Amino acid sequence: MSHHDHDHNHDHHHDHDHDHSHNPPEMTFLEKMEKLLDHWIQHNDDHAASYQGWADQARQQHLDAVADIIEEAAEMNRAINEKFARAKALIGK
């Protein structure tokens, strides 16, 4: 019996998926839209809070005009969120 060396292995990879219903069904468009709106609302809330914090710091540094502008930006984020909330409410109907 002869022995031979070779540089390949005998592992076989399976590149296809075996669906055994472990994956949840794909979301509908409306479910995706609701999730996206929720994400945008949270994202804007986070930004508005950050903006307000920086506006407060600017005001402490006697940069009132700068603080006013940053606070306006925070308010714009809150106004956008009102629109997103209205859109989400329409989806739920």
Side-chain angles (χ1 to χ4, degrees), residues 13-79:
H13 299 283
H14 296 279
D15 293 329
H16 58 277
D17 186 40
H18 294 278
D19 185 12
H20 298 288
S21 299
H22 295 289
N23 297 329
E26 189 168 328
M27 287 188 287
T28 67
F29 176 80
L30 293 179
E31 290 169 333
K32 288 179 186 178
M33 188 92 266
E34 283 185 299
K35 277 196 167 297
L36 191 55
L37 288 164
D38 283 339
H39 171 76
W40 288 341
I41 289 168
Q42 182 60 55
H43 186 81
N44 283 344
D45 282 344
D46 291 345
H47 278 289
S50 176
Y51 297 161
Q52 188 60 58
W54 283 101
D56 293 344
Q57 291 181 57
R59 202 167 300 287
Q60 290 171 0
Q61 297 295 317
H62 309 289
L63 299 170
D64 291 341
V66 171
D68 290 343
I69 293 168
I70 296 171
E71 285 174 340
E72 286 175 23
E75 184 54 40
M76 291 170 82
N77 272 24
R78 289 188 279 271

